[in-house]
Amino acid sequence: LPTGFHPRNAADVRAWQRHVLSLKRSKLFGFAGAPRSGFRDDFREVLLEECEDAGSEHCRAVDCRGTRCTDNGAAVLELFLDSSFCLQPRGDSFTRRSLFDCMVAGAVPVLFWRRTAYDQYRWYLPPGPRGEEGEWSVFIDRQALRVGNVSVRDVLEGLSERRVRRMRERVVEMIPRLVYASSPEGLGDGMEDALDVALRGVLERFRRRRASTAPEGESHRFFFSAFSCLLNFLTESSKF
């Protein structure tokens, strides 16, 4: 979850959450990206056309050709802070950093591939039943969008103000688990950051696997070994 926001403590997170919830967002949706001419049937071009068709009153796009977005991250953050929704196609893999930047800015992600979030980040983004996914995101069938059977603007304008507000609140609730604390002690005050979630998830997976395979009485050895591996991994990672 490579977001650029690294709060010092839980108080920083709560202050940011209040800030992004209080913003008056002037755009219905936004998109940060650029067409990829080397890709057949490039879907980002479709999203840029959707933004253009919606008009500047409803959508704004940030052109990310070359290194424009990596060199000027403030422009992308400003876009997400001013948009109620953010369009999130797949990146080089099914997920791209922009998904998490958008959510940390309090914008509701609009997804077009289930593997972008629902099937890949279950520790961080609640999969639950389909209805639960709809509490913090919007899913639009990319093929229906490509052939013109639906439009992004129509789908988003079809959501009530009350539902949009609740979706944004749900996204903002998840911010702590999408960021890494700058302090080695974590966020504190009982608030888990992304590292806490990852450690808990890995240890729980080890516990379940070991419980199904370990001879009786040897579980403690397994946990010691697993925890040692995690500590070694974190120590080595901190060097980079």
Side-chain angles (χ1 to χ4, degrees), residues 6-65:
H6 301 294
R8 295 167 298 177
N9 50 44
D12 280 357
V13 176
R14 294 191 181 102
W16 179 255
Q17 288 174 309
R18 290 192 296 270
H19 172 65
V20 297
L21 271 179
S22 68
L23 292 174
K24 302 298 182 183
R25 297 171 187 255
S26 69
K27 306 301 180 187
L28 177 63
F29 63 100
F31 174 56
R36 296 181 167 187
S37 57
F39 286 70
R40 181 181 178 185
D41 297 327
D42 178 36
F43 191 68
R44 296 188 183 197
E45 184 67 46
V46 175
L47 298 184
L48 289 169
E49 291 174 359
E50 285 288 317
C51 190
E52 184 178 349
D53 290 345
S56 59
E57 180 181 351
H58 301 284
C59 180
R60 184 163 73 90
V62 170
D63 188 338
C64 291
R65 296 173 209 267

Side-chain angles (χ1 to χ4, degrees), residues 19-200:
H19 172 65
V20 297
L21 271 179
S22 68
L23 292 174
K24 302 298 182 183
R25 297 171 187 255
S26 69
K27 306 301 180 187
L28 177 63
F29 63 100
F31 174 56
R36 296 181 167 187
S37 57
F39 286 70
R40 181 181 178 185
D41 297 327
D42 178 36
F43 191 68
R44 296 188 183 197
E45 184 67 46
V46 175
L47 298 184
L48 289 169
E49 291 174 359
E50 285 288 317
C51 190
E52 184 178 349
D53 290 345
S56 59
E57 180 181 351
H58 301 284
C59 180
R60 184 163 73 90
V62 170
D63 188 338
C64 291
R65 296 173 209 267
T67 60
R68 295 179 189 178
C69 287
T70 52
D71 293 343
N72 187 16
V76 177
L77 177 60
E78 180 185 347
L79 170 73
F80 292 152
L81 290 172
D82 194 39
S83 303
S84 293
F85 297 88
C86 53
L87 308 185
Q88 294 297 330
R90 60 171 294 171
D92 293 326
S93 63
F94 278 97
T95 307
R96 59 183 191 147
R97 166 180 169 161
S98 176
L99 168 67
F100 303 105
D101 288 338
C102 133
M103 296 181 71
V104 170
V108 177
V110 180
L111 308 176
F112 308 92
W113 280 264
R114 292 196 59 79
R115 287 179 64 186
T116 296
Y118 304 146
D119 300 335
Q120 194 168 189
Y121 288 93
R122 296 182 177 227
W123 290 347
Y124 304 93
L125 306 174
R130 296 296 172 90
E132 188 170 342
E133 293 165 352
E135 291 181 359
W136 57 268
S137 65
V138 175
F139 184 81
I140 299 178
D141 185 282
R142 62 184 180 277
Q143 298 304 332
L145 187 65
R146 188 185 292 277
V147 300
N149 289 342
V150 298
S151 75
V152 171
R153 178 180 171 184
D154 286 346
V155 170
L156 300 182
E157 286 187 333
L159 303 172
S160 68
E161 289 186 17
R162 181 178 180 181
R163 182 177 177 190
V164 173
R165 175 70 183 181
R166 179 54 194 149
M167 293 173 79
R168 184 178 304 135
E169 290 172 349
R170 187 71 180 95
V171 166
V172 171
E173 286 172 6
M174 292 192 286
I175 288 177
R177 60 198 299 118
L178 303 180
V179 299
Y180 293 110
S182 61
S183 167
E185 284 77 34
L187 296 172
D189 200 19
M191 183 179 285
E192 287 190 334
D193 72 351
L195 180 58
D196 294 321
V197 174
L199 288 174
R200 178 164 49 80

